[in-house]
Amino acid sequence: METSVLKSELAGSWYVDDPVHLARELETYLETVNPDPVEHLIGLMLPHAGYRYSGMVAAHGIKLLQGRNFKRVIVIGPSHRVALLDRVSLPDVTDIETPLGRIPLDREAIDGLLQYELFESHPRAHRLEHSVQIQLPFLQHVLDTFTLIPIVCGHLTQQSARRIGRALLPLMDRETLLVISTDFTHYGAAFDYVPFTDDIQNNLRRLDLGAFDLIRDKNAEGFLDYLDRTGATICGASPISVMLSMLDDLSEVRLLKYDTSGNMTDDWSHCVSYASAAISGRWKTAAADAENAADPMALTAHDKAGLLRLARYRIASRFSQRTAAPSDSFSAAVHAVRGAFVTLHKRGQLRGCIGEIFPRRPLIKAVEEHAVNAAFQDPRFPALREDELAGIDIEISALSPPRKIGSYDEIEIGRHGIVISKQMQSAVFLPQVAPEQGWDLETTLGHLCMKAGLPSSAWKSDCEFHVFEADVFGEAD
């Protein structure tokens, strides 16, 4: 590969553009802080605001790198400007340049990662993305020569975060450092997040440290649930999820420093929180993680029966039927983030079907909501009557994340659910639709086009296809 350089455009705005002044500023931060030593350091979590705001917080982590011999650094930061749907991006260049010089990328490792489904290369995602690039001058200042793997991260499902972590684990040797780039809560009307208006400083601290407690406990599901419940605007939630999926049980995440821009500007109507943390111990081995996660999404027979009971309970509750709430204890797979559809049949005929393809919340929550939606909100049918409920069979489809394919030729009838998109029109079929109707691929695509409001032959050109798989189970099984 010929030499190609991505020149960071942060100099002059996010930090000074003169290399001498920049080095002096970084050294001032490092001389000011004195974090407790950390043995067996394997990673850092650092903020990514301009240095005048977050430089002192970041220095508490960077200071721990002095005197250490890391030869490769993987930096994972969230995408702020380019939407990456359940994907991460790696740049198609050989070097990244800052005022302190060029950093060579580990092209061999990057090319290997690009063989995985969730790793792609989107040049626009890297050109102006500060979350990764803000870390580079600090790293250059304290480390000797090192190679870089810069990863810009889209919004990930928990399953995808685990898959990305699993792909990175073989790279995590003793000379490789992982840096997770994230700011914590973004508070204020400009961020569309004003959960409280009094005692903002202390409320923000409680909110942020509540999130960090779950990170410290390596509780990935609890962390994401906390963000859902509180709305806390932690932009690096997906990079954090990747990190948590990689940590061994004996590893430790230690808070080094917490602060907010409000403490610096005294403007509590618009402020951002920053945290610096050290990750120590060891990563999972790739082999152990593969063994433990052979099928982390697999639902047990108990899970399936419990979800079906819960779906029926939610529908019955709308009729004020005095039915005891199910008290099932579920496996972790039920709380994994994934899409789901709930389908109702009456004497073998469709009576309602609603769901969500793209995963955004735990399976159990999707099932609860869409059981009610299928019964009362499917526009193709009148709302379910109470006297019909006993004659309804409930079916649940727990979905894998959809993936884009290059051609409809890749679709496997009976295995793949299909999403077709063309000219702002779209429609979806679950995997079981075509076999139930006895359709071949062409017939399926024709009906799918008509469902989308397109001519039946529209699938033959200029269409985008996504496919997914489903674990389908029902009361009639």
Side-chain angles (χ1 to χ4, degrees):
M1 184 176 187
E2 294 184 4
T3 300
S4 53
V5 180
L6 171 63
K7 186 173 182 178
S8 175
E9 299 186 23
L10 303 187
S13 54
W14 295 80
Y15 50 73
V16 296
D17 57 3
D18 178 84
V20 174
H21 290 167
L22 175 57
R24 187 178 301 149
E25 179 183 359
L26 297 176
E27 189 60 31
T28 298
Y29 293 138
L30 293 169
E31 289 175 348
T32 304
V33 303
N34 187 30
D36 292 334
V38 174
E39 295 184 358
H40 308 298
L41 183 73
I42 57 175
L44 295 171
M45 187 171 72
L46 302 172
H48 55 232
Y51 287 160
R52 63 186 178 276
Y53 295 110
S54 69
M56 194 67 75
V57 175
H60 282 77
I62 292 292
K63 183 73 173 275
L64 297 176
L65 299 181
Q66 291 182 332
R68 297 183 189 262
N69 190 32
F70 290 107
K71 297 299 185 184
R72 177 171 59 194
V73 181
I74 301 173
V75 182
I76 311 179
S79 179
H80 290 86
R81 292 173 174 80
V82 175
L84 299 173
L85 177 61
D86 211 29
R87 293 292 188 272
V88 298
S89 179
L90 295 156
D92 188 22
V93 297
T94 61
D95 301 80
I96 294 182
E97 183 176 338
T98 79
L100 300 186
R102 291 184 182 179
I103 307 172
L105 271 57
D106 186 338
R107 284 305 324 173
E108 181 178 358
I110 289 173
D111 291 342
L113 290 171
L114 286 170
Q115 303 307 306
Y116 289 88
E117 178 186 344
L118 299 180
F119 291 79
E120 299 177 348
S121 185
H122 297 275
R124 288 183 58 247
H126 298 271
R127 190 170 64 85
L128 294 175
E129 183 49 65
H130 65 277
S131 69
V132 170
Q133 294 179 26
I134 196 70
Q135 311 298 346
L136 303 185
F138 250 136
L139 292 167
Q140 287 174 294
H141 188 71
V142 296
L143 294 178
D144 293 329
T145 57
F146 64 95
T147 59
L148 178 69
I149 301 178
I151 301 175
V152 174
C153 183
H155 176 73
L156 303 177
T157 66
Q158 195 170 351
Q159 181 190 23
S160 294
R162 284 194 294 261
R163 291 170 66 190
I164 290 165
R166 199 169 303 134
L168 294 175
L169 281 173
L171 301 175
M172 303 311 301
D173 55 35
R174 293 181 179 180
E175 295 184 335
T176 299
L177 176 78
L178 179 67
V179 174
I180 298 299
S181 181
T182 183
D183 291 336
F184 270 61
T185 299
H186 299 61
Y187 174 90
F191 299 118
D192 195 28
Y193 187 64
V194 188
F196 38 75
T197 56
D198 61 335
D199 198 13
I200 295 172
Q201 181 178 12
N202 289 322
N203 279 322
L204 273 178
R205 183 178 182 86
R206 280 190 290 269
L207 178 66
D208 287 322
L209 296 188
F212 186 83
D213 284 345
L214 294 162
I215 297 171
R216 181 201 58 211
D217 294 341
K218 294 168 288 187
N219 185 348
E221 292 180 8
F223 171 66
L224 295 177
D225 183 61
Y226 183 85
L227 299 189
D228 284 341
R229 286 189 289 107
T230 64
T233 46
I234 298 178
C235 56
S238 289
I240 291 170
S241 294
V242 172
M243 175 195 74
L244 293 176
S245 78
M246 298 167 65
L247 289 176
D248 181 90
D249 289 342
L250 298 178
S251 58
E252 180 183 354
V253 183
R254 183 193 303 178
L255 182 65
L256 302 170
K257 180 65 176 178
Y258 169 81
D259 207 344
T260 68
S261 65
N263 282 328
M264 307 167 205
T265 64
D266 204 30
D267 180 3
W268 293 102
S269 67
H270 177 94
C271 62
V272 180
S273 305
Y274 313 117
S276 180
I279 306 151
S280 60
R282 63 185 185 186
W283 304 108
K284 294 176 182 175
T285 64
D289 190 55
E291 180 180 348
N292 293 337
D295 192 359
M297 305 294 281
L299 297 168
T300 66
H302 179 79
D303 289 336
K304 294 177 181 180
L307 285 171
L308 289 166
R309 282 192 293 269
L310 181 61
R312 181 168 288 276
Y313 168 75
R314 290 302 179 200
I315 296 172
S317 296
R318 291 291 296 267
F319 297 120
S320 299
Q321 293 189 9
R322 295 181 179 277
T323 305
S327 57
D328 300 88
S329 58
F330 292 110
S331 76
V334 171
H335 300 282
V337 177
R338 60 193 299 185
F341 271 70
V342 178
T343 305
L344 308 183
H345 291 99
K346 181 180 179 182
R347 294 192 290 273
Q349 299 299 310
L350 183 66
R351 184 59 178 84
C353 180
I354 290 185
E356 57 195 54
I357 297 293
F358 293 96
R360 58 186 177 86
R361 53 183 166 173
L363 173 64
I364 188 171
K365 295 184 181 298
V367 167
E368 287 186 281
E369 179 170 328
H370 292 309
V372 174
N373 290 341
F376 304 106
Q377 300 297 329
D378 190 329
R380 298 169 294 179
F381 302 95
L384 190 72
R385 302 187 312 273
E386 186 171 5
D387 62 358
E388 292 181 279
L389 180 57
I392 291 295
D393 290 318
I394 300 175
E395 179 182 86
I396 295 171
S397 301
L399 310 183
S400 68
R403 60 181 177 86
K404 186 177 179 181
I405 57 174
S407 167
Y408 58 80
D409 292 331
E410 300 177 44
I411 298 171
E412 297 181 35
I413 291 294
R415 176 188 175 193
H416 288 150
I418 313 164
V419 183
I420 190 171
S421 303
K422 182 175 183 177
Q423 299 171 350
M424 305 301 289
Q425 305 284 95
S426 66
V428 61
F429 277 158
L430 294 173
Q432 59 267 41
V433 170
E436 288 174 353
Q437 301 299 322
W439 293 337
D440 61 13
L441 178 58
E442 291 190 5
T443 305
T444 300
L445 293 176
H447 282 280
L448 188 58
C449 286
M450 290 188 287
K451 184 179 180 182
L454 298 166
S456 62
S457 61
W459 57 271
K460 296 180 179 180
S461 63
D462 302 322
C463 285
E464 184 176 283
F465 296 94
H466 286 77
V467 296
F468 57 92
E469 298 177 32
D471 186 357
V472 183
F473 51 96
E475 294 176 324
D477 292 350

